[in-house]
Amino acid sequence: MPSPLDNVRILEFPKVSDPRGNLSFIEEAVHVPFAIKRVFYIYDVPGGASRGGHAHRHNRQVLICLSGSMDLHLTDGRQERVITLNRANTGVLIPPGVWDSMHNFSSGTTLLVVCSEYYDEADYIRDYSEYLEYMARTCPT
Ligand code: T46
């Protein structure tokens, strides 16, 4: 059975450059493959802090590092993928069922996250053992 990790995508957003700087934009169902219900952002991350450490049951999301840099660790419980995010016109599409965590935030990093669902704590799997059981049930080898 295909893993949700296979459906992780790097997305490139339009970039309009002129002598005043750059402008990028994201239109729902055009530049991200879903209707946008929620946007949140992470900033002022203290040195050495990590975030994430969970998977979603339904929510799809795109992570965009607007400034600074961070390492995104993704796993399906079997294989791991690490993606460094450091460009404001590049995003990573994370499908449901992928366990993600974020590390090595540089000072001044701002991470924008565009989501397909409203916030719902019941959509999260935050316990790694529970995640492995969930994957064994929903995505057996
Ligand atoms: C993810 C990574 C990239 C809300 O009330 N509304 C929201 O929309 C969000 C995202 C969070 N919250 C509350 C829930 C917690 O009490 O904010 C608190 C911190 O959330 P959390 O510990 O989940 O934050 P991160 O940075 O570990 O994870 C977040 C997202 O929750 C998650 O979907 O993939 O960023």
Side-chain angles (χ1 to χ4, degrees):
M1 180 173 277
S3 161
L5 205 52
D6 300 333
N7 293 323
V8 170
R9 294 277 177 274
I10 307 292
L11 306 179
E12 296 286 330
F13 304 120
K15 180 163 101 173
V16 184
S17 302
D18 68 27
R20 300 169 297 169
N22 300 324
L23 182 154
S24 289
F25 55 93
I26 299 169
E27 294 179 354
E28 77 171 17
V30 176
H31 303 110
V32 294
F34 50 77
I36 298 167
K37 286 194 177 152
R38 178 169 53 108
V39 170
F40 68 92
Y41 38 99
I42 292 170
Y43 54 101
D44 288 348
V45 177
S50 294
R51 301 197 62 112
H54 52 245
H56 287 279
R57 298 173 199 275
H58 301 292
N59 185 45
R60 289 186 282 166
Q61 55 190 22
V62 175
L63 274 59
I64 306 144
C65 194
L66 295 182
S67 61
S69 67
M70 41 82 63
D71 293 333
L72 175 63
H73 291 238
L74 302 171
T75 184
D76 60 0
R78 300 172 192 124
Q79 292 185 300
E80 192 184 19
R81 192 168 166 190
V82 180
I83 302 170
T84 298
L85 284 177
N86 55 12
R87 294 176 63 217
N89 68 321
T90 300
V92 179
L93 172 68
I94 306 179
V98 173
W99 182 273
D100 69 53
S101 60
M102 294 153 285
H103 310 270
N104 296 329
F105 286 83
S106 72
S107 171
T109 295
T110 302
L111 180 69
L112 178 73
V113 184
V114 178
C115 303
S116 69
E117 305 300 328
Y118 297 115
Y119 175 71
D120 176 8
E121 186 56 38
D123 190 58
Y124 285 75
I125 304 170
R126 294 189 185 267
D127 179 87
Y128 194 64
S129 308
E130 189 189 329
Y131 170 70
L132 294 178
E133 286 167 19
Y134 173 84
M135 288 302 284
R137 256 194 338 271
T138 60
C139 187
T141 45

